[in-house]
Amino acid sequence: MNENDIILFTINNQNKFPSHRLSIIKERLEGMTSQESIIATSLDYQDTSMIICLSVLVGYLGIDRMMIGQVLLGVIKLITFGGCFIWTIIDWFIIGNLTKEYNYNMFMSYVNNLPNKAITPEP
């Protein structure tokens, strides 16, 4: 992936990833082929502001947790009505960071499953 595409991706998606991990993402994108980088940049990253809005509006239903892959916690939150709304209020403050970590983990999961280029097969 060329430098301009990497910069464009990080600028457009800086609100979807933890800021202290953007340098790692840039580094990983630099080592990808164009096909690999197209897939990495088109993964279904969750929008942080949308998840925060969901948490504020219907957080007691656990939908916010389910959207970031924490299905069991979402179901527990649904059954307990957001822990009698206490858990819901706490999530208003932490769900944004959890969403960014979810997106970063999704990116790293894809990168870690790429074939290792350092090992070349023998003829």
Side-chain angles (χ1 to χ4, degrees), residues 73-85:
L73 289 177
V75 171
I76 293 170
K77 197 172 174 183
L78 172 66
I79 293 170
T80 63
F81 293 105
C84 296
F85 294 98

Side-chain angles (χ1 to χ4, degrees), residues 83-97:
C84 296
F85 294 98
I86 295 169
W87 187 1
T88 301
I89 294 169
I90 292 170
D91 269 357
W92 293 347
F93 298 99
I94 65 172
I95 200 70
N97 290 333

Side-chain angles (χ1 to χ4, degrees), residues 46-78 81-83 85-96 98-100 102:
Q46 296 295 339
D47 184 20
T48 307
S49 35
M50 183 195 66
I51 300 294
I52 291 171
C53 287
L54 273 174
S55 186
V56 169
L57 297 174
V58 290
Y60 63 93
L61 297 176
I63 296 170
D64 52 350
R65 291 288 182 147
M66 291 180 202
M67 295 274 302
I68 60 170
Q70 298 176 347
V71 177
L72 181 61
L73 289 177
V75 171
I76 293 170
K77 197 172 174 183
L78 172 66
F81 293 105
F85 294 98
I86 295 169
W87 187 1
T88 301
I89 294 169
I90 292 170
D91 269 357
W92 293 347
F93 298 99
I94 65 172
I95 200 70
L98 292 175
T99 305
K100 290 178 181 184
Y102 170 79

Side-chain angles (χ1 to χ4, degrees), residues 14-27:
Q14 66 185 351
N15 64 335
K16 293 183 181 178
F17 296 103
S19 58
H20 64 280
R21 301 205 192 252
L22 285 175
S23 60
I24 297 169
I25 292 171
K26 288 180 190 177
E27 189 178 291

Side-chain angles (χ1 to χ4, degrees), residues 30-42:
E30 288 171 354
M32 290 184 186
T33 64
S34 61
Q35 184 179 9
E36 292 168 346
S37 62
I38 288 170
I39 295 170
T41 56
S42 64

